[in-house]
Amino acid sequence: MQSTEAYVRALPKAELHLHIEGTLEPELAFGLARKHRVALPYASAEELRAAYDFADLQSFLDLYYALAQVLRDADDFYRLALGYLERVHGQGVVHAEVFFDPQTHTGRGIAFGTVVDGLRRAFTEAQSRFGMTHRLIACFLRHLSAADAMGVLDEVLEHREAICAVGLDSSEVGHPPSKFAGVFARAREHGLITVAHAGEEGPPGYIYEALDILGVRRIDHGVRSEEDPALVARLVRERIALTVCPLSNVKLRVFDSIEHHNLKRLLEAGVCVTVNSDDPAYFGGYLLENYLAVQRALGLTRPQLASLARNSIEASWLEPAAKRRWTASIDACERG
Ligand code: ADE
Ligand code: ZN
């Protein structure tokens, strides 16, 4: 029989929760620091990797924003994204819906267009070399003001052909979705899809706000929904997907171990759960490693692994014909 790893690798999968800045591997960070003559407060890539021991979301974000300073020109963003795409192509990722954080770059003088140009070059190349498809999601940093986010939205609208959705990320607690009601309403008026991180560290109330105030139909993380059975029932009834990131949740101490993760319970409750990697360079694994970690720790069956892959295609923004094609190939993998 095929190994579990070979089985998961062969399943066509969509990645729906991936911060491109979170794919910055220490070796590339050091290479770019040398290129731009930026000093990093670590002696080597090994020493930097050894510092990836986080107490919570904020302690991770502090390092993540500091390291992103090495990304300066369009070629840096191209190399960053192409490195990610080459790696996950070999893991069976056929489609990626990818976040980027404009304010992390525009706030230090890098033009929005520079970021988008570099990213698009990589995604276009991956489409022609590997047949991989993508969507780009511009995220607002929720620790900054709604007025700042409105300025980002102006730039998103100037690059409307490249960007299909807006999202909300960064420090969750104390920055509820309702803070961005006006920005998201304007984004929706312009036909942008909306998503939001909610219920990672924040309470179930933030998930209700994301649904009812921001109009999202897919929640990033959402694992704290389990504390509110009525909310779980609604997620099931309305088929609202959660983009769950198991290795991230353990590294950022949302769960104290992968064995205690609630992914399997949510899946068995009927929620459209998907598996994703969040910031894989920091959390010890890309998409395949996330699938394998939950499979081993929670004892997921092969039909459950196939359901997770099917959910990722269903919850994606691919056109219906592509969804039907990928779903049929997942069904074929499942039949063996
Ligand atoms: N930005 C990058 N990773 C994040 C996460 N896990 N939560 C919130 N914001 C983020
Ligand atoms: Zn995230």
Short mmCIF file of all heavy atoms in Angstrom, two decimals, residues 49-73:
data_model
loop_
_atom_site.label_atom_id
_atom_site.label_comp_id
_atom_site.label_asym_id
_atom_site.label_seq_id
_atom_site.Cartn_x
_atom_site.Cartn_y
_atom_site.Cartn_z
N ARG A 49 17.18 30.65 13.04
CA ARG A 49 16.17 29.59 13.12
C ARG A 49 16.01 29.13 14.58
O ARG A 49 14.90 28.84 15.02
CB ARG A 49 16.56 28.43 12.21
CG ARG A 49 15.46 27.45 11.97
CD ARG A 49 15.80 26.42 10.89
NE ARG A 49 15.42 26.82 9.55
CZ ARG A 49 16.27 27.05 8.55
NH1 ARG A 49 17.55 26.94 8.74
NH2 ARG A 49 15.81 27.39 7.36
N ALA A 50 17.10 29.12 15.29
CA ALA A 50 17.05 28.68 16.69
C ALA A 50 16.25 29.66 17.55
O ALA A 50 15.79 29.31 18.64
CB ALA A 50 18.46 28.53 17.24
N ALA A 51 16.06 30.89 17.06
CA ALA A 51 15.30 31.89 17.82
C ALA A 51 13.79 31.75 17.61
O ALA A 51 13.00 32.49 18.20
CB ALA A 51 15.75 33.29 17.41
N TYR A 52 13.37 30.79 16.78
CA TYR A 52 11.94 30.63 16.48
C TYR A 52 11.24 29.86 17.59
O TYR A 52 10.80 28.72 17.41
CB TYR A 52 11.73 29.94 15.14
CG TYR A 52 12.16 30.76 13.94
CD1 TYR A 52 12.13 30.22 12.65
CD2 TYR A 52 12.58 32.08 14.08
CE1 TYR A 52 12.51 30.96 11.55
CE2 TYR A 52 12.97 32.83 12.97
CZ TYR A 52 12.93 32.26 11.71
OH TYR A 52 13.31 33.00 10.62
N ASP A 53 11.14 30.51 18.73
CA ASP A 53 10.50 29.90 19.89
C ASP A 53 9.56 30.98 20.43
O ASP A 53 10.02 31.95 21.03
CB ASP A 53 11.59 29.52 20.91
CG ASP A 53 10.98 28.91 22.15
OD1 ASP A 53 9.83 28.43 22.09
OD2 ASP A 53 11.65 28.93 23.20
N PHE A 54 8.27 30.84 20.13
CA PHE A 54 7.35 31.95 20.38
C PHE A 54 6.43 31.68 21.56
O PHE A 54 5.98 30.56 21.76
CB PHE A 54 6.53 32.22 19.11
CG PHE A 54 7.38 32.39 17.88
CD1 PHE A 54 7.36 31.45 16.85
CD2 PHE A 54 8.24 33.47 17.77
CE1 PHE A 54 8.17 31.59 15.73
CE2 PHE A 54 9.05 33.63 16.65
CZ PHE A 54 9.01 32.69 15.63
N ALA A 55 6.13 32.77 22.31
CA ALA A 55 5.24 32.64 23.46
C ALA A 55 3.78 32.80 23.04
O ALA A 55 2.87 32.29 23.69
CB ALA A 55 5.59 33.70 24.50
N ASP A 56 3.57 33.55 21.95
CA ASP A 56 2.21 33.86 21.50
C ASP A 56 2.29 34.53 20.13
O ASP A 56 3.40 34.67 19.58
CB ASP A 56 1.49 34.76 22.52
CG ASP A 56 2.28 36.03 22.82
OD1 ASP A 56 3.23 36.35 22.06
OD2 ASP A 56 1.96 36.71 23.80
N LEU A 57 1.15 34.97 19.62
CA LEU A 57 1.12 35.61 18.29
C LEU A 57 2.02 36.85 18.26
O LEU A 57 2.79 37.04 17.33
CB LEU A 57 -0.34 35.97 17.94
CG LEU A 57 -0.57 36.78 16.67
CD1 LEU A 57 -0.03 36.07 15.43
CD2 LEU A 57 -2.07 37.07 16.49
N GLN A 58 1.92 37.71 19.28
CA GLN A 58 2.67 38.97 19.23
C GLN A 58 4.18 38.75 19.20
O GLN A 58 4.90 39.44 18.47
CB GLN A 58 2.29 39.86 20.43
CG GLN A 58 2.82 41.29 20.30
CD GLN A 58 2.28 41.99 19.03
OE1 GLN A 58 1.08 42.04 18.81
NE2 GLN A 58 3.16 42.51 18.19
N SER A 59 4.66 37.78 19.97
CA SER A 59 6.12 37.56 19.99
C SER A 59 6.60 37.08 18.62
O SER A 59 7.72 37.40 18.20
CB SER A 59 6.50 36.56 21.09
OG SER A 59 5.98 35.29 20.80
N PHE A 60 5.77 36.35 17.91
CA PHE A 60 6.11 35.97 16.54
C PHE A 60 6.07 37.20 15.62
O PHE A 60 7.00 37.43 14.84
CB PHE A 60 5.13 34.89 16.03
CG PHE A 60 5.01 34.86 14.54
CD1 PHE A 60 6.08 34.45 13.76
CD2 PHE A 60 3.84 35.27 13.91
CE1 PHE A 60 5.99 34.45 12.36
CE2 PHE A 60 3.75 35.27 12.52
CZ PHE A 60 4.82 34.87 11.75
N LEU A 61 5.00 37.99 15.72
CA LEU A 61 4.84 39.13 14.80
C LEU A 61 6.01 40.11 14.93
O LEU A 61 6.46 40.68 13.92
CB LEU A 61 3.51 39.85 15.07
CG LEU A 61 2.25 39.07 14.67
CD1 LEU A 61 0.99 39.81 15.15
CD2 LEU A 61 2.16 38.85 13.15
N ASP A 62 6.53 40.29 16.14
CA ASP A 62 7.64 41.23 16.33
C ASP A 62 8.84 40.82 15.45
O ASP A 62 9.44 41.66 14.78
CB ASP A 62 8.06 41.27 17.81
CG ASP A 62 6.98 41.91 18.68
OD1 ASP A 62 6.09 42.60 18.14
OD2 ASP A 62 7.01 41.70 19.92
N LEU A 63 9.17 39.52 15.45
CA LEU A 63 10.30 39.05 14.67
C LEU A 63 9.97 39.05 13.16
O LEU A 63 10.80 39.43 12.32
CB LEU A 63 10.68 37.63 15.13
CG LEU A 63 11.85 36.97 14.40
CD1 LEU A 63 13.13 37.79 14.58
CD2 LEU A 63 12.08 35.56 14.92
N TYR A 64 8.75 38.67 12.86
CA TYR A 64 8.29 38.57 11.47
C TYR A 64 8.34 39.93 10.77
O TYR A 64 8.83 40.07 9.65
CB TYR A 64 6.89 37.98 11.56
CG TYR A 64 5.97 37.99 10.41
CD1 TYR A 64 6.06 37.03 9.41
CD2 TYR A 64 4.91 38.90 10.35
CE1 TYR A 64 5.14 36.99 8.37
CE2 TYR A 64 3.99 38.87 9.33
CZ TYR A 64 4.11 37.91 8.33
OH TYR A 64 3.19 37.87 7.32
N TYR A 65 7.87 40.98 11.45
CA TYR A 65 7.92 42.32 10.85
C TYR A 65 9.36 42.81 10.74
O TYR A 65 9.74 43.47 9.77
CB TYR A 65 7.07 43.32 11.64
CG TYR A 65 5.57 43.02 11.59
CD1 TYR A 65 4.80 43.04 12.74
CD2 TYR A 65 4.95 42.72 10.39
CE1 TYR A 65 3.43 42.76 12.71
CE2 TYR A 65 3.59 42.43 10.34
CZ TYR A 65 2.84 42.45 11.49
OH TYR A 65 1.51 42.18 11.44
N ALA A 66 10.18 42.49 11.74
CA ALA A 66 11.59 42.93 11.70
C ALA A 66 12.32 42.29 10.51
O ALA A 66 13.03 42.97 9.77
CB ALA A 66 12.28 42.58 13.01
N LEU A 67 12.11 41.00 10.30
CA LEU A 67 12.82 40.32 9.21
C LEU A 67 12.34 40.74 7.83
O LEU A 67 13.10 40.72 6.86
CB LEU A 67 12.66 38.80 9.34
CG LEU A 67 13.60 38.06 10.27
CD1 LEU A 67 13.40 36.57 10.09
CD2 LEU A 67 15.05 38.42 9.99
N ALA A 68 11.06 41.13 7.74
CA ALA A 68 10.51 41.55 6.45
C ALA A 68 11.24 42.77 5.89
O ALA A 68 11.14 43.08 4.69
CB ALA A 68 9.02 41.82 6.57
N GLN A 69 12.02 43.45 6.74
CA GLN A 69 12.78 44.64 6.29
C GLN A 69 13.79 44.32 5.20
O GLN A 69 14.27 45.21 4.51
CB GLN A 69 13.57 45.22 7.48
CG GLN A 69 12.79 45.45 8.75
CD GLN A 69 12.00 46.73 8.70
OE1 GLN A 69 12.47 47.72 8.15
NE2 GLN A 69 10.80 46.70 9.25
N VAL A 70 14.15 43.04 5.05
CA VAL A 70 15.15 42.71 4.01
C VAL A 70 14.51 42.66 2.62
O VAL A 70 15.23 42.59 1.62
CB VAL A 70 15.87 41.36 4.30
CG1 VAL A 70 16.58 41.41 5.65
CG2 VAL A 70 14.90 40.17 4.23
N LEU A 71 13.17 42.67 2.56
CA LEU A 71 12.48 42.63 1.26
C LEU A 71 12.37 44.05 0.74
O LEU A 71 11.64 44.87 1.30
CB LEU A 71 11.09 42.01 1.43
CG LEU A 71 11.07 40.56 1.91
CD1 LEU A 71 9.70 40.18 2.47
CD2 LEU A 71 11.45 39.62 0.76
N ARG A 72 13.10 44.36 -0.34
CA ARG A 72 13.18 45.76 -0.75
C ARG A 72 12.81 46.04 -2.20
O ARG A 72 12.24 47.08 -2.50
CB ARG A 72 14.58 46.31 -0.49
CG ARG A 72 14.93 46.15 0.96
CD ARG A 72 15.89 47.14 1.46
NE ARG A 72 15.76 47.16 2.92
CZ ARG A 72 16.31 48.03 3.71
NH1 ARG A 72 17.04 49.00 3.21
NH2 ARG A 72 16.13 47.96 5.02
N ASP A 73 13.18 45.15 -3.10
CA ASP A 73 12.85 45.45 -4.50
C ASP A 73 11.99 44.32 -5.09
O ASP A 73 11.78 43.29 -4.46
CB ASP A 73 14.12 45.74 -5.33
CG ASP A 73 15.09 44.57 -5.37
OD1 ASP A 73 14.61 43.42 -5.36
OD2 ASP A 73 16.31 44.80 -5.41
#
